[in-house]
Amino acid sequence: MMKKILVTIFVALFTMGVSMAQDLGQATELFNNAGTTLMEGNETAALDLFRKAMDMATQLGEEGAAIVTECKTVIPQLMLKLGKDMIRDGNIDDAIVKIKKAAETATEYENEGVLLEANDLLAQLKINQLMGVANDLLTAREYAEAYKAYKDVIAVDPNNANAYFRMGQAANAADNTDAAEEAFLKAKELDESIAENVDRQLSTVFIKKAVTCQRAKDLKGALENAQKSIEFNDNANAQKIVGLSALGLKQNAVAAEAFKAYLAMSPEARDRVQIVYQLGTALVAAGQNGEACGYFKEIAQDPKWGEAARYQLTVLKCK
């Protein structure tokens, strides 16, 4: 393009008056100096020179059209580059101003490529700013406010899996378990690569739901939510809730298996002896007396539960 411009100018110099030829020569010199300055890395100064060259070439009408066309290509590109440099340097506020100006100039000059890139950058910068606000609120443990802030991110970027994931964390920390479940499932839908991490979070959500049901004496709800917790990530707390809830619902085989799982995961648990006793009673209710005897024998000398265990051993006629 530069070579084409120079040829056009060379021809024009022989077809116009001396004064206009001098103006075109000056405009050409400014344009060439702008290119040299740009190659030297002084982009701000180059931008100023390109603008001056364009202003002078514009006054020449058709004779300066080639320079004007080239400037209209270069100027918005250069403005956008300066905005990107500001982003790299962490000067976000000034970068936004510069990139908006680049977009306005690209619109004026009908430079669609720069306009699209500038708008994409502005959208991403807005998302980053909103995420920064939300992340700060989450770090500060202002969970309800953080939840709302992540919703603002999603309003701008509805496919942002990270925003959904963090929104789920904020909602869960605020004990808004239904909202947390919804957010985590959406995050998993949008990004399968975080599925394992999401599943761990969902497991904690259903533990909370199970505990809430326990406190409300809703054994069925506690059982179902604890089982869902295990589906997402097997854990001792959920197995214990399953065992206790199932025992209360007389689902003795389910209770026994859950108690066994709990003891395997938490061999040093403080309530281990109590759970062993409850496991024994679940096995008796399920008709597995022989296995129950083994568990009652295990705790027969315990200061607190030993007497009850020895009674069971007598009733069951354990050998």
Side-chain angles (χ1 to χ4, degrees):
M1 177 62 76
M2 186 79 73
K3 184 177 180 180
K4 182 178 178 181
I5 291 173
L6 293 175
V7 170
T8 303
I9 292 168
F10 179 78
V11 172
L13 287 171
F14 288 92
T15 60
M16 65 179 67
V18 174
S19 176
M20 186 171 289
Q22 288 177 341
D23 290 340
L24 181 57
Q26 290 176 356
T28 303
E29 184 177 1
L30 277 172
F31 182 85
N32 290 335
N33 287 341
T36 301
T37 303
L38 180 60
M39 287 187 289
E40 291 173 349
N42 193 341
E43 294 164 341
T44 301
L47 179 60
D48 183 57
L49 289 171
F50 278 123
R51 283 172 171 157
K52 289 178 179 178
M54 181 176 168
D55 289 342
M56 186 172 289
T58 299
Q59 295 174 19
L60 299 174
E62 289 189 9
E63 283 73 16
I67 291 177
V68 171
T69 298
E70 185 69 9
C71 287
K72 284 185 175 182
T73 299
V74 173
I75 288 172
Q77 290 176 342
L78 194 47
M79 293 174 71
L80 183 61
K81 172 65 166 54
L82 290 170
K84 290 179 179 178
D85 289 345
M86 290 176 180
I87 294 173
R88 182 197 61 205
D89 295 338
N91 193 355
I92 304 302
D93 290 340
D94 287 344
I96 291 173
V97 173
K98 179 65 72 175
I99 294 169
K100 282 183 177 179
K101 189 64 178 176
E104 292 170 5
T105 303
T107 300
E108 181 184 352
Y109 295 168
E110 298 182 348
N111 191 325
E112 186 176 352
V114 171
L115 178 61
L116 289 173
E117 187 176 357
N119 285 338
D120 286 345
L121 267 176
L122 288 170
Q124 189 58 54
L125 287 171
K126 182 176 182 180
I127 292 167
N128 291 347
Q129 285 184 321
L130 291 171
M131 278 291 285
V133 171
N135 290 342
D136 287 344
L137 289 168
L138 185 61
T139 301
R141 299 184 179 182
E142 297 180 30
Y143 299 122
E145 291 78 6
Y147 175 77
K148 292 176 183 177
Y150 286 118
K151 287 189 74 173
D152 291 339
V153 176
I154 290 164
V156 178
D157 186 12
N159 294 319
N160 193 321
N162 187 37
Y164 272 109
F165 180 81
R166 290 174 177 267
M167 185 168 72
Q169 289 181 309
N172 195 28
D175 294 328
N176 189 351
T177 51
D178 288 341
E181 177 187 353
E182 182 180 355
F184 284 133
L185 289 173
K186 186 64 176 179
K188 186 176 179 179
E189 175 188 326
L190 290 170
D191 187 358
E192 278 294 329
S193 70
I194 62 173
E196 185 176 347
N197 200 7
V198 171
D199 285 350
R200 285 195 294 268
Q201 296 292 330
L202 282 167
S203 182
T204 67
V205 169
F206 284 107
I207 280 287
K208 281 193 172 184
K209 289 188 175 188
V211 170
T212 299
C213 290
Q214 272 189 319
R215 291 170 179 168
K217 309 299 182 184
D218 177 9
L219 295 179
K220 185 174 183 293
L223 175 61
E224 290 175 352
N225 282 294
Q227 288 174 326
K228 285 183 180 179
S229 175
I230 292 167
E231 288 175 12
F232 286 109
N233 185 48
D234 199 0
N235 63 95
N237 287 338
Q239 292 287 4
K240 180 179 175 180
I241 294 172
V242 168
L244 294 173
S245 302
L247 191 64
L249 292 167
K250 301 187 184 306
Q251 296 182 24
N252 298 298
V254 173
E257 290 306 310
F259 285 140
K260 289 177 185 178
Y262 173 73
L263 292 170
M265 293 179 183
S266 303
E268 304 298 327
R270 290 183 179 181
D271 60 354
R272 180 183 177 282
V273 176
Q274 176 186 338
I275 296 300
V276 169
Y277 181 82
Q278 289 173 308
L279 170 56
T281 61
L283 288 168
V284 171
Q288 300 178 43
N289 293 355
E291 188 177 359
C293 286
Y295 286 105
F296 289 133
K297 287 178 181 179
E298 182 181 332
I299 59 171
Q301 304 306 316
D302 182 77
K304 183 176 180 179
W305 293 92
E307 184 178 353
R310 290 192 295 272
Y311 173 78
Q312 292 286 352
L313 290 170
T314 300
V315 171
L316 295 173
K317 299 180 180 180
C318 298
K319 296 181 181 180

